[in-house]
């Protein structure tokens, strides 16, 4: 590797990580901070994974509707995507948590009103939807709009001639989409989809605004009770950097592998 290509930024990041690890090893206070914040690591990862998986599914549906030849479907999908992409993620989070959840509970109770009146079912209460569920739903609805545009771009990147050739061979629209278009489209957008996972991990910190016990929330609580803001948020930043840098390196490796397959 040439000297100019050496990832000096990664070396500096490794040195910083080593310094934080050594500090945690030799300092009792640092060990306490790491132990306190690490309890939220599972919440951060689980919220990110669930929200990412569900947003991929919803984004794929929206992307297909966005690229649909049927205009009403295309217009509805475009309306949703443009509205959601125009809103800050924190606003979506608050809206789903304090407007969407009560509205959903009211809608369920309205649908089940005959059974509730007969005493067969108990009314659904807003508190039945805990804040972690609301946070995951908000991230799903928000990121699905961005992922839908990624899928749409991937679908449109497939040459039109291949679609026409598939139709000439007797394949239906659904078969062409499933066997010809989607395999190529998904391969083309894999790096972009992986980058969205990095983004959703970072935005998962917003769930702390609802009191969800993730890394950021535990760091906020610990620093407020001990006034050790510098030490605490250093550890919070370290956790996020380890996750996101690892994912970013994995994305780069994926991009290189895909390039080698296209241009061996």
């Amino acid at each position: 590797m040439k000297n100019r290509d050496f990832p000096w930024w990664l070396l500096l990041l490794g040195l910083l990580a080593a310094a934080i690890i050594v500090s945690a090893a030799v300092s009792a206070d640092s060990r306490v901070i790491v132990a306190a914040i690490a309890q939220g690591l599972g919440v951060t990862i689980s919220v990110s994974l669930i929200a990412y998986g569900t947003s991929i599914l919803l984004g794929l549906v929206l992307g297909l509707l966005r690229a649909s030849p049927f205009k009403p479907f295309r217009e509805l999908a475009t309306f949703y995507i443009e509205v959601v992409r125009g809103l800050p993620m924190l606003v979506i989070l608050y809206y789903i948590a304090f407007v969407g959840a009560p509205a959903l509970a009211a809608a369920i109770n309205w649908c089940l009103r005959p059974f509730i009146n007969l005493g067969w079912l108990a009314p659904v209460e807003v508190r039945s939807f805990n804040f972690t569920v609301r946070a995951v739903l908000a991230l799903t609805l928000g990121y699905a709009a961005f992922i839908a545009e990624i899928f749409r771009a991937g679908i449109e990147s497939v040459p039109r001639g291949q679609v026409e050739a598939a139709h000439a061979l007797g394949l239906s629209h659904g078969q062409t989409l499933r066997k010809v278009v989607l395999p190529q489209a998904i391969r083309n957008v894999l790096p972009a989809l992986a980058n969205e996972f990095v983004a959703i991990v970072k935005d998962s910190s917003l769930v702390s605004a609802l009191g969800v016990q993730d890394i950021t929330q535990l760091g906020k609580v610990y620093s407020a009770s001990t006034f050790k803001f510098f030490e605490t948020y250093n550890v919070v930043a370290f956790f996020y950097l380890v996750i996101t840098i690892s994912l970013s390196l994995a994305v780069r490796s994926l991009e290189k592998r895909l390039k080698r397959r296209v241009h061996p």
Side-chain angles (χ1 to χ4, degrees):
M1 179 183 294
K2 296 180 181 179
N3 186 58
R4 64 182 180 181
D5 295 331
F6 186 80
W8 294 103
W9 66 272
L10 189 57
L11 176 61
L12 292 174
L13 184 63
L15 293 174
L16 177 61
I20 294 176
I21 292 172
V22 170
S23 174
V26 301
S27 169
D29 288 341
S30 295
R31 287 197 297 273
V32 172
I33 294 172
V34 170
I37 295 175
Q39 297 176 27
L41 190 59
V43 174
T44 294
I45 294 174
S46 61
V47 165
S48 301
L49 286 174
I50 296 171
Y52 182 68
T54 50
S55 62
I56 284 284
L57 296 176
L58 180 57
L60 178 58
V61 173
L62 289 170
L64 291 173
L65 294 177
R66 183 82 164 80
S68 172
F70 190 50
K71 189 173 181 179
F73 288 167
R74 190 168 66 249
E75 293 297 325
L76 284 173
T78 302
F79 172 78
Y80 175 86
I81 290 168
E82 294 301 328
V83 168
V84 173
R85 289 177 67 194
L87 296 174
M89 191 59 66
L90 188 58
V91 173
I92 296 174
L93 196 71
Y94 282 139
Y95 193 88
I96 295 300
F98 301 115
V99 179
L104 179 60
I108 293 174
N109 288 333
W110 182 82
C111 293
L112 300 178
R113 180 60 58 190
F115 302 101
I116 294 174
N117 291 338
L118 291 172
W120 295 355
L121 294 174
V124 175
E125 298 182 357
V126 177
R127 62 185 179 184
S128 301
F129 306 102
N130 64 50
F131 281 110
T132 302
V133 173
R134 302 184 202 188
V136 169
L137 181 59
L139 290 173
T140 296
L141 295 176
Y143 269 89
F146 294 94
I147 291 174
E149 285 296 277
I150 293 174
F151 279 122
R152 179 194 61 80
I155 292 170
E156 293 180 352
S157 70
V158 178
R160 181 65 186 172
Q162 295 189 22
V163 177
E164 294 174 351
H167 289 161
L169 291 172
L171 271 68
S172 66
H173 179 73
Q175 289 174 325
T176 301
L177 194 64
R178 188 174 66 256
K179 297 181 178 181
V180 178
V181 176
L182 282 182
Q184 295 183 71
I186 291 174
R187 186 178 67 244
N188 292 340
V189 301
L190 273 178
L193 291 177
N195 280 323
E196 286 301 301
F197 184 54
V198 177
I200 209 169
V201 168
K202 291 188 291 184
D203 273 353
S204 69
S205 63
L206 295 175
V207 305
S208 63
L210 301 180
V212 177
Q213 300 294 298
D214 71 327
I215 296 172
T216 304
Q217 176 65 9
L218 292 181
K220 186 193 305 181
V221 171
Y222 187 86
S223 61
S225 62
T226 62
F227 298 100
K228 296 179 180 179
F229 296 98
F230 178 74
E231 299 88 343
T232 301
Y233 284 108
N234 273 347
V235 174
V236 171
F238 172 72
F239 276 119
Y240 278 112
L241 282 173
V242 168
I243 296 172
T244 56
I245 294 297
S246 299
L247 290 172
S248 296
L249 292 174
V251 171
R252 293 186 184 187
S253 176
L254 176 63
E255 289 176 343
K256 290 180 180 178
R257 289 183 181 182
L258 291 176
K259 285 181 180 179
R260 283 198 297 267
R261 289 183 181 180
V262 177
H263 305 288

